[in-house]
């Protein structure tokens, strides 16, 4: 991990502000979703990229009931269910 040298205090609601220079460098737009991860005592923020719920794949995604599923996973699930697939 690389330190940016930026220190921010939480406000009364537990929020922080990411400096504009950091948002520009990482191409983070206003209102863009960020994922939050925890590793021991470290908090990690990452731009949110929706991925296939089964494989983590990020190509050829289709949304179904609020979840992202790749076309490859759909084909594999159909085959697993015994359905004939015409590609």
């Amino acid at each position: 991990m690389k330190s940016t040298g930026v220190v921010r205090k939480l406000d009364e609601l537990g929020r922080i502000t990411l400096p504009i220079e950091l948002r520009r460098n990482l191409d983070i737009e206003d209102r863009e979703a960020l994922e939050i991860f925890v590793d021991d005592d470290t908090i990690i923020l990452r731009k949110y990229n929706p991925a296939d719920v089964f494989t983590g794949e990020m190509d050829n995604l289709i949304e179904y009931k609020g979840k992202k599923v790749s076309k490859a996973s759909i084909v594999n699930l159909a085959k697993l269910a015994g359905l004939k697939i015409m590609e």
Side-chain angles (χ1 to χ4, degrees):
M1 232 182 305
K2 184 169 78 172
S3 174
T4 63
V6 176
V7 176
R8 294 283 193 222
K9 289 186 178 183
L10 294 175
D11 72 6
E12 62 278 355
L13 296 176
R15 299 175 296 197
I16 60 169
T17 302
L18 298 177
I20 190 72
E21 300 84 17
L22 186 60
R23 288 181 280 148
R24 284 180 182 152
N25 287 341
L26 297 174
D27 196 30
I28 298 172
E29 301 293 329
D30 291 346
R31 305 272 182 216
E32 188 164 0
L34 299 175
E35 279 185 286
I36 303 170
F37 298 90
V38 177
D39 184 13
D40 295 324
D41 64 346
T42 303
I43 299 170
I44 301 166
L45 298 176
R46 182 170 64 187
K47 287 176 66 168
Y48 175 67
N49 290 317
D52 183 311
V53 295
F54 299 109
T55 65
E57 187 177 322
M58 298 175 82
D59 296 322
N60 297 315
L61 298 177
I62 296 172
E63 187 166 328
Y64 179 71
K65 295 191 177 186
K67 305 290 183 191
K68 300 288 184 178
V69 183
S70 69
K71 290 182 179 181
S73 287
I74 293 169
V75 169
N76 289 333
L77 287 168
K79 288 177 182 176
L80 184 63
L83 303 174
K84 292 183 180 180
I85 304 299
M86 300 186 76
E87 295 184 47

